[in-house]
Amino acid sequence: QVQLAESGGGLVQAGGSLRLSCAASGRATSIYFMAWFRQAPGQARENVATIRWSDAHTYYADSVKGRLTISRDNAKNTVSLQMKSLKPEDTAVYYCALQPRLAGRYDYWGPGTQVTVSS
């Protein structure tokens, strides 16, 4: 089984920065995409940032473009999310996820880490 574990969440004031990390461990698996999702209370889960493992090509939700940056460490099987200029509406539980193949879905998920942005 593949395990994902997020770290780095917490409480920050509006305008501040946080860096989230996610490490993959356990059974070896291929990686096509890794991504960060978030879910605020009463709202649907949202894909905010995705990275294609082979060439580090990135995709972002419009709501976070220019403020969030996803990156990966191929050797360590880790993905990070650098967040700056945070807004109260960024408050959510942030999850990392792994999709092993292009023709597939996000099969593996971390337990999530809380990010709270105070106004």
Side-chain angles (χ1 to χ4, degrees), residues 33-109:
F33 290 125
M34 286 194 76
W36 288 94
F37 290 74
R38 68 184 182 188
Q39 188 167 23
Q43 297 188 23
R45 188 176 296 181
E46 176 188 21
N47 183 332
V48 295
T50 302
I51 190 163
R52 188 165 58 200
W53 208 251
S54 60
D55 60 3
H57 190 79
T58 57
Y59 310 84
Y60 296 96
D62 287 343
S63 58
V64 305
K65 278 180 182 175
R67 301 187 301 115
L68 272 57
T69 302
I70 187 171
S71 60
R72 61 123 165 89
D73 185 326
N74 215 341
K76 297 181 180 179
N77 279 356
T78 59
V79 63
S80 298
L81 187 68
Q82 180 67 49
M83 304 188 291
K84 65 179 183 180
S85 303
L86 284 164
K87 306 174 182 180
E89 50 264 43
D90 294 317
T91 295
V93 178
Y94 283 71
Y95 302 88
C96 70
L98 188 157
Q99 179 172 325
R101 292 165 297 279
L102 174 60
R105 60 181 183 178
Y106 287 97
D107 289 331
Y108 305 106
W109 294 80

Side-chain angles (χ1 to χ4, degrees), residues 2 24-31 77 98-101 108:
V2 174
S25 62
R27 182 175 60 86
T29 183
S30 58
I31 304 174
N77 279 356
L98 188 157
Q99 179 172 325
R101 292 165 297 279
Y108 305 106

